[in-house]
Amino acid sequence: MNKLSFLFLLTFFTILFTGCQENEADFPSSDNPTVVVSTNEIYGAPNRKFEIKATLADDLGLKNVRIQIPELNLDKVINFATDPLLTSYDLSYFFEVPANRGASEGFVIKLTITDVSGNAIDQNINLRLDGEFNAPAISMITPKEGAVILLSSSNKLPVNFVVNDDSGIDYIQVKCAALGINEMVQLTGAPQSYTFNKTYTLPVTAAQYVLTITAKDKFAIPNMGTLNINIVATNEYPAIYLCDQPKGTNLTTDAVGVPMYFHEKVGQDFEFKYYADTDNKQIYFLGQEADFAPHCFGLNASGNLIDDVTSSAIVLPTKGYYKIKVNPSTLVYTVTKYTPSSKVWADVANGLWHDNEALRKPFVSIAGGGIQGANWDTWNAWIQTGLHLANNPNNPYQLVGEYTLTGTMEGTFTGQWWSPSWRLIKNGIATMSPGANGNAKYPAAPGVYKVILDTELERAFITKK
């Protein structure tokens, strides 16, 4: 072979080898990859995650995507498999903005998409840190959740609430299909606060209604807030509650038992059993569970029972158990002190698990859900000693303790193999003979709660510590 031929062949193979290297492991030439982003502008905030969304595609196959925000030290490469080749990919990447960045700052997110043929394209997305992500806050004045509208007194439904939002309010809507209500209030000037106040007329027929209130804000990516309010329109009270808390107390922060549900009902005669833990205990009767308004029964200046939120408390003179009867229609009540005769569950803190029932000593713990350490196994209720209740030294009919709730709770106070047991059903009733009643679920904010199981009243009181 002469020198000229050798140089020609050497040049040919050099070009061929270089071309193969540049063509990404022998992949043939192809068109550039494509990218379609969900938005060209993303709103974020310091100490908050945002999402980068895009659809990537290539006619032959994608190699990788690189995500860069140099100022935030973000440089992420996502590599794709090439066997088989990936021709499309839905990018969803979350990144948390550092807490030390300012809400007025802005950045550019750079996406670089490369295919297996070595083609690469860039796509920029603007990132702003002045995002507002909170839904408009709706604060009800009236009616409160579970409000009772007594048709025999009035068929008017006053609806009064306040909406607040940092980015301004676009509109407010009040709806109740059953009442033919569909009120839309379109606001101008994007006010940050708006008060709605209107009275509707109810039909004379007793029924239950759901009032839905919706508010939308004016942020670039709108936030929606919705609140459902259940209302009972009735000719007589379906329930009366006994409340021993001062007026103004938030009655929705406790999990169970505040205010206390009645024990017996005949017509509009309601009977309660109640334990006053101090002398001169002050109580009220409420026509609704969640608030002192609109129906709060107390005493007027003459010592007579009235339905008035400004009324004075009824005073139980001495510590102990009482039977109390009240009729919210006739405004008559009676109070009688009594001595319980039910079984006393004594020495439960020294209980003993034993297969031989004759050698067993009863303990009382809890089985259920939404309670830290608890499940539905009574053996677990035994070994989790932090769930055990103890005797109240001031009242032999009460078992007391503390539980940490993790959210919506349900439970049965129990000993070994459900003996003894008090199932916690609706309205805070903890009964040893629940019949067909199942365990009720009680929404509760996570935290530590004081627990009282009153075996005489067959009521549980689980209150925020």
Side-chain angles (χ1 to χ4, degrees):
M1 178 182 292
N2 61 38
K3 185 175 181 181
L4 184 60
S5 298
F6 175 78
L7 290 174
F8 175 78
L9 290 173
L10 179 62
T11 302
F12 173 80
F13 283 112
T14 300
I15 294 172
L16 181 63
F17 179 74
T18 303
C20 289
Q21 278 200 318
E22 289 178 353
N23 202 22
E24 297 294 328
D26 295 328
F27 288 110
S29 298
S30 66
D31 294 335
N32 285 341
T34 62
V35 55
V36 178
V37 296
S38 62
T39 177
N40 288 310
E41 191 163 65
I42 295 176
Y43 286 89
N47 203 34
R48 182 184 176 91
K49 287 184 179 180
F50 65 87
E51 183 182 15
I52 303 168
K53 296 182 70 175
T55 300
L56 317 180
D58 187 76
D59 60 330
L60 181 59
L62 296 163
K63 180 183 179 184
N64 60 42
V65 57
R66 185 179 184 184
I67 308 167
Q68 295 174 283
I69 310 177
E71 300 90 339
L72 301 183
N73 297 317
L74 172 61
D75 191 351
K76 172 70 176 179
V77 177
I78 301 173
N79 292 304
F80 305 122
T82 56
D83 186 15
L85 289 171
L86 185 69
T87 58
S88 65
Y89 179 76
D90 290 326
L91 174 66
S92 175
Y93 183 78
F94 288 87
F95 182 75
E96 184 172 315
V97 177
N100 62 353
R101 306 308 304 211
S104 62
E105 292 187 88
F107 305 95
V108 174
I109 305 167
K110 181 181 179 182
L111 302 181
T112 302
I113 300 93
T114 305
D115 67 13
V116 294
S117 299
N119 303 310
I121 62 167
D122 292 330
Q123 174 71 48
N124 290 340
I125 304 172
N126 292 323
L127 171 64
R128 301 176 51 158
L129 300 191
D130 57 350
E132 200 269 291
F133 305 98
N134 296 320
I138 304 169
S139 302
M140 289 302 301
I141 299 172
T142 186
K144 298 289 190 179
E145 169 63 21
V148 174
I149 309 298
L150 200 62
L151 296 173
S152 57
S153 300
S154 172
N155 67 337
K156 300 301 181 183
L157 173 63
V159 177
N160 184 202
F161 60 87
V162 178
V163 178
N164 291 289
D165 188 85
D166 290 340
S167 59
I169 306 162
D170 183 12
Y171 70 76
I172 291 165
Q173 186 176 30
V174 180
K175 291 183 69 175
C176 179
L179 292 173
I181 298 172
N182 189 0
E183 187 101 14
M184 173 74 79
V185 181
Q186 183 70 54
L187 302 178
T188 58
Q192 291 185 314
S193 183
Y194 179 79
T195 299
F196 182 92
N197 196 351
K198 185 171 181 177
T199 298
Y200 299 97
T201 301
L202 296 170
V204 295
T205 305
Q208 295 187 14
Y209 302 101
V210 179
L211 198 66
T212 300
I213 299 166
T214 304
K216 176 187 172 187
D217 70 13
K218 290 285 286 184
F219 185 60
I221 303 172
N223 301 293
M224 301 284 289
T226 300
L227 182 65
N228 289 325
I229 302 294
N230 292 284
I231 304 162
V232 179
T234 179
N235 293 305
E236 61 179 26
Y237 290 96
I240 291 291
Y241 301 85
L242 187 154
C243 185
D244 57 8
Q245 303 299 305
K247 284 182 185 175
T249 301
N250 186 339
L251 301 181
T252 63
T253 57
D254 296 317
V256 178
V258 179
M260 187 179 75
Y261 191 69
F262 69 89
H263 284 78
E264 301 289 341
K265 176 179 180 285
V266 179
Q268 285 290 277
D269 289 321
F270 294 87
E271 180 174 298
F272 296 86
K273 292 192 297 181
Y274 175 72
Y275 175 68
D277 58 359
T278 63
D279 292 344
N280 298 314
K281 191 72 173 183
Q282 296 187 355
I283 64 169
Y284 299 91
F285 302 110
L286 304 181
Q288 58 287 317
E289 186 175 10
D291 197 68
F292 285 86
H295 301 291
C296 176
F297 297 88
L299 302 181
N300 62 16
S302 301
N304 298 317
L305 192 69
I306 56 170
D307 179 6
D308 192 326
V309 293
T310 66
S311 61
S312 300
I314 298 164
V315 178
L316 305 179
T318 56
K319 179 179 177 179
Y321 280 93
Y322 289 84
K323 287 185 179 178
I324 305 170
K325 293 183 180 181
V326 61
N327 187 309
S329 297
T330 62
L331 296 177
V332 173
Y333 80 101
T334 60
V335 174
T336 306
K337 195 171 184 181
Y338 78 99
T339 301
S341 59
S342 60
K343 178 180 173 63
V344 172
W345 295 88
D347 206 23
V348 295
N350 296 314
L352 176 67
W353 181 287
H354 203 290
D355 290 343
N356 185 338
E357 189 169 0
L359 299 176
R360 191 182 306 159
K361 294 180 180 179
F363 66 90
V364 177
S365 183
I366 196 166
I371 307 160
Q372 185 173 294
N375 60 27
W376 286 105
D377 185 356
T378 64
W379 171 254
N380 179 79
W382 162 247
I383 63 173
Q384 294 288 342
T385 55
L387 299 177
H388 288 212
L389 300 182
N391 295 105
N392 181 352
N394 299 312
N395 182 348
Y397 299 96
Q398 289 187 345
L399 310 177
V400 298
E402 286 187 3
Y403 292 157
T404 298
L405 303 187
T406 57
T408 296
M409 66 149 292
E410 55 182 329
T412 295
F413 298 98
T414 185
Q416 181 176 344
W417 297 331
W418 311 106
S419 179
S421 70
W422 293 263
R423 184 180 297 173
L424 185 53
I425 60 177
K426 62 182 182 179
N427 299 313
I429 300 170
T431 177
M432 294 190 75
S433 51
N437 291 296
N439 294 88
K441 295 180 183 294
Y442 292 90
V448 179
Y449 288 73
K450 295 185 294 184
V451 180
I452 299 174
L453 171 61
D454 194 308
T455 61
E456 162 64 19
L457 301 182
E458 290 196 317
R459 291 288 188 273
F461 306 92
I462 303 178
T463 56
K464 201 77 164 64
K465 186 175 179 182

